[in-house]
Amino acid sequence: MIAGSGPLLVGVLHEAAGGWSLPYLLIFAVLGAQLLAGLYAGRDRYLEDELAPARLAG
């Protein structure tokens, strides 16, 4: 439902603004938010296994 409202919102903004400036601004703002979320989610992370020394000791 969220993705389906995107084209409708772009069309409404296009009609209200009388051009493509405002819809493009919205698209680039959403693109920037998705880029930041993707970079944050895809960063390198390492998890320490706290039980590893106990398993090795036996």
Side-chain angles (χ1 to χ4, degrees), residues 3-25:
S5 65
L8 178 64
L9 180 61
V10 168
V12 169
L13 285 175
H14 178 267
E15 288 294 319
W20 288 104
S21 299
L22 196 55
Y24 278 146
L25 183 64

Side-chain angles (χ1 to χ4, degrees), residues 49-58:
D49 189 3
E50 295 176 4
L51 299 177
R55 280 190 222 144
L56 292 175

Side-chain angles (χ1 to χ4, degrees), residues 5-47:
S5 65
L8 178 64
L9 180 61
V10 168
V12 169
L13 285 175
H14 178 267
E15 288 294 319
W20 288 104
S21 299
L22 196 55
Y24 278 146
L25 183 64
L26 173 70
I27 290 170
F28 285 123
V30 170
L31 175 70
Q34 289 178 340
L35 176 68
L36 292 175
L39 289 172
Y40 180 74
R43 70 190 191 281
D44 288 335
R45 288 178 276 173
Y46 298 98
L47 299 176

